Amino acid sequence: MSTPNFLFDDPPASASGTILLAHGAGAPMDSASMNAAAQALAKAGFRVARFEFGYMAARRSGTRKPPPRAETLQGEYLAAIAALDTSGPLIIGGKSMGGRVASMVADRMHAEGRIAGLLCLGYPFHPPEKPEQLRTAHLAGLKTPTLIVQGTRDPFGTSDEVAGYKLSKAIELLWLEDGDHDLRPRKSVSGFSAADHLATMAARVAKWSKTLA
């Protein structure tokens, strides 16, 4: 397993901690949505480190590989945690599938004192238009302090759908009005811009992080 190449976003002043983010199933670590989220978190005072799973990194050299099953990527996420040079609190997570994979390794890492919390941006509770195919079984017993940031109209899990799920009390949810899977709202509908929602997300993460042991 190769050592991941990290992409860093540093805060304007000293960091209050590091956030490690993995990408979603179909877009790289430097996609527009990942860039915007990482920059918002850095502006809020975090050092942000992004990395790519092997199948996505291979696309940069022309090898097109489909996303593997999320369960099979746990080893790569653990390797990224081990390879990351950081001091102070570490929060792991990611966009969509990246957050899902992080959620699978979070309790082990938290129990070992390696991480302080889990941050999921647009959690894929189910595939679009397949609400019966839930990806929530392990979330019911999750012990790691977790913040899931979700758009209310996310096709991977709307606010109405998620309200009926059995989720651990360790999980906090931040709902962004009219946000899609990238947390983007329709300003004509909601009155909010994408920048507004990212600022709200980053401010909530900063406040939440202060509650982590």
Side-chain angles (χ1 to χ4, degrees), residues 73-160:
L73 296 171
Q74 294 180 60
E76 291 190 48
Y77 207 115
L78 291 171
I81 294 172
L84 182 62
D85 181 17
T86 185
S87 59
L90 173 63
I91 295 169
I92 64 170
K95 170 77 175 72
S96 192
M97 185 191 72
R100 183 184 175 202
V101 177
S103 72
M104 295 174 180
V105 304
D107 276 357
R108 172 181 166 184
M109 292 289 95
H110 189 256
E112 293 178 3
R114 302 283 299 280
I115 67 168
L118 169 69
L119 172 64
C120 299
L121 305 176
Y123 187 86
F125 288 98
H126 60 73
E129 300 182 1
K130 296 180 180 179
E132 72 284 357
Q133 295 183 20
L134 290 180
R135 299 160 171 166
T136 57
H138 69 294
L139 298 182
L142 195 68
K143 296 180 176 60
T144 305
T146 300
L147 177 62
I148 296 177
V149 183
Q150 198 86 353
T152 60
R153 63 182 176 97
D154 190 332
F156 290 78
T158 65
S159 54
D160 288 342

